[in-house]
Amino acid sequence: EEEGEEEGEEERSPRSPPPSAAIFVTATSAPEDEPSTRPSKNETMLRRRPEDEEEELRREVAGGRAEEEEEAAPRRRNATARSGGNASEDRRDGGDVEVFDCDKGYETWFSNWTDAKQAWCCKHYPPVGCTDMNSWKGIPAPAEVRPRNGTTSTTSSGIPYGRTGPIIEEGYILVGDTWVVLPPTSTSTSTTTPPCETAKKGDDCYDHTLWTMYTGLNLYPEQYPGLGLNSSFEQVQTRLHERSEGGCRRPCATETDLPPRRPWGSPSLFCFSVFRPGGELELVRMQVDRTAGIFACDEQRVFSQREVDLGGVPEVKTILIPEVATGVSQDGTAANTMTFMTVWSIIKDDKTYKHHDFTVKADPDAVILPQRLRKHLSAHVGTNVFVRNCNKVPGSPNFPMMFGAVEVLSRAAVVAYLSNEVKCRTLPWKSWGEDYFLSKCLQMIGVTALDDFGIAKDGACTGLWCADAWAAAFHPLKTTAAWSKCEAD
């Protein structure tokens, strides 16, 4: 017997199963003096390892059938050792032992597993899903299979095992290139259509899809070949799904209704407003609803001391800024420079201004017309300028200056300010309004002043006249009715 055991150890390779394989025991008990009624090997093995088939073929050619019988005993001992001594529980005297890879078997759970094989693997090597012997039947391929070596493996058809498990999505499992419906019983139906889900408001995919439609396609059109401003929400989501971006799944055959999109203008404009809770909120909501004012610019941001969902598509939400005490400036307006220092700091981190030729700050009660602004600014793309829009007191050392109803800075001017804001704090700014501070700061750091006194009609400067056909901004319009009428004029 000792010699037999030594021979068995020497013969373990290649006949012995690998560490990740399981042992399938066929329970038969035909007496030796009766004809054998044991099933054939094809009936007891779901899948044979290639090295096993080569070995058996070699023995058949050599006529080595007797050798196979001699090997049976050590193989059974090996099976018992690997199963913790429990293999005998599943075979009676005379039973046969076959190599059966349960890990591999899960790949073909639906197509060619018998109930007995499913039950056996669930009992001896239970994956997630085989909780007990009364629950295995009718349970499809599990969501997770842990190989015995603790590593993640992949089947020949590319289905990952281990921590990720088979690819299962809401009642479907991906088998090879086919999505298979997971039925309540062991019966399955094949389909080539994968599960679908059109993204909805609140999903990361929804936000990612809208960003691609309204911003990405304008910024990086070369990254989205085949897509354009006329592409539907579902077409864009499909592309993101194919690129595994935004957590997007394949959309269903739906038609998401969205406002029409416009290509970014030339020169492109990034616009922002800062509003106080109260009457200005209604002005901003109206502009969002009508895609008017700063919301007719290419991109925009809204800042406030309150977090407010303003609606719109893509959804507009205020960016929260802290409450800052303001006094009265030297010219009788709010000494709000500290508030706008905070806003410019957020704009610096946000970096949206870098996408555009000009940055425009507009008061909520100012009507701005982006198409007219572009006419005033087109000749100055790429320059380092800011616009002085008021010369109320010619000859005064404080004029011309940039009145705060509408402030226009080129991209280079924004970069210059954000890079030198600390230097500008050496100015006696605490009693100044933010527009006066910004004008003095930009001049101090070398940004060129562009005088355009026709760009705005401001009641705080030379007067409000909404019928001016050349002006691009009008101020002040304190009610939604007045704002709407001036825009129409």
Side-chain angles (χ1 to χ4, degrees), residues 126-182:
V128 174
C130 297
T131 55
D132 56 60
M133 285 303 294
N134 295 322
S135 66
W136 68 267
K137 191 170 184 180
I139 296 177
E144 183 176 339
V145 176
R146 297 186 181 91
R148 292 185 176 187
N149 59 11
T151 61
T152 299
S153 59
T154 304
T155 69
S156 59
S157 64
I159 300 178
Y161 284 80
R163 291 185 61 82
T164 56
I167 302 174
I168 294 178
E169 296 186 10
E170 293 189 3
Y172 290 80
I173 181 172
L174 183 63
V175 178
D177 294 326
T178 302
W179 287 93
V180 178
V181 178
L182 299 183

Side-chain angles (χ1 to χ4, degrees), residues 408-420:
V408 181
L409 287 74
S410 68
R411 180 164 51 216
V414 175
V415 171
Y417 168 72
L418 295 176
S419 301
N420 294 279

Side-chain angles (χ1 to χ4, degrees), residues 4-24:
E5 291 177 356
E6 293 175 358
E7 292 175 1
E9 293 299 323
E10 294 174 358
E11 293 293 333
R12 174 174 295 182
S13 178
R15 291 293 297 169
S16 300
S20 62
I23 307 299
F24 184 87

Side-chain angles (χ1 to χ4, degrees), residues 161-407:
Y161 284 80
R163 291 185 61 82
T164 56
I167 302 174
I168 294 178
E169 296 186 10
E170 293 189 3
Y172 290 80
I173 181 172
L174 183 63
V175 178
D177 294 326
T178 302
W179 287 93
V180 178
V181 178
L182 299 183
T185 64
S186 59
T187 305
S188 64
T189 304
S190 295
T191 176
T192 57
T193 303
C196 66
E197 180 183 350
T198 301
K200 56 186 179 297
K201 185 177 179 180
D203 297 339
D204 288 342
C205 177
Y206 182 84
D207 294 337
H208 203 90
T209 302
L210 289 183
W211 182 90
T212 302
M213 296 175 71
Y214 288 87
T215 301
L217 285 170
N218 281 291
L219 273 178
Y220 314 110
E222 70 283 355
Q223 295 187 15
Y224 303 94
L227 296 179
L229 293 178
N230 293 324
S231 298
S232 69
F233 182 94
E234 284 73 16
Q235 288 172 325
V236 176
Q237 183 182 332
T238 297
R239 180 64 56 83
L240 297 179
H241 166 74
E242 293 169 349
R243 293 166 54 160
S244 300
E245 293 181 8
C248 290
R249 299 181 61 183
R250 190 177 302 278
C252 302
T254 54
E255 295 182 5
T256 302
D257 186 27
L258 296 173
R261 287 166 285 157
R262 299 184 302 268
W264 284 0
S266 179
S268 61
L269 305 176
F270 166 59
C271 301
F272 72 93
S273 284
V274 179
F275 78 87
R276 294 164 295 182
E280 289 184 337
L281 173 59
E282 295 308 312
L283 285 169
V284 175
R285 283 194 190 278
M286 179 199 66
Q287 294 172 49
V288 171
D289 291 342
R290 294 174 47 186
T291 317
I294 69 167
F295 301 99
C297 296
D298 301 307
E299 290 191 275
Q300 54 285 130
R301 297 289 184 269
V302 184
F303 300 86
S304 180
Q305 289 86 7
R306 283 178 51 193
E307 290 184 297
V308 182
D309 182 349
L310 297 168
V313 177
E315 186 176 41
V316 179
K317 292 183 178 180
T318 59
I319 298 172
L320 190 64
I321 56 175
E323 293 274 2
V324 177
T326 59
V328 178
S329 70
Q330 62 185 18
D331 57 1
T333 60
N336 54 359
T337 300
M338 190 66 216
T339 296
F340 278 84
M341 285 180 175
T342 301
V343 169
W344 280 109
S345 177
I346 297 172
I347 289 173
K348 179 180 180 179
D349 294 337
D350 180 74
K351 298 182 175 63
T352 301
Y353 75 91
K354 292 185 175 182
H355 302 163
H356 302 283
D357 298 310
F358 291 92
T359 293
V360 180
K361 174 261 179 179
D363 285 348
D365 61 347
V367 173
I368 68 166
L369 306 175
Q371 286 298 91
R372 291 192 190 178
L373 276 173
R374 292 187 175 99
K375 294 177 182 179
H376 284 262
L377 301 173
S378 60
H380 307 287
V381 173
T383 62
N384 184 18
V385 299
F386 74 101
V387 177
R388 293 192 299 192
N389 54 22
C390 180
N391 193 22
K392 184 177 182 179
V393 186
S396 166
N398 294 331
F399 287 90
M401 72 170 286
M402 178 172 63
F403 266 31
V406 56
E407 302 170 4

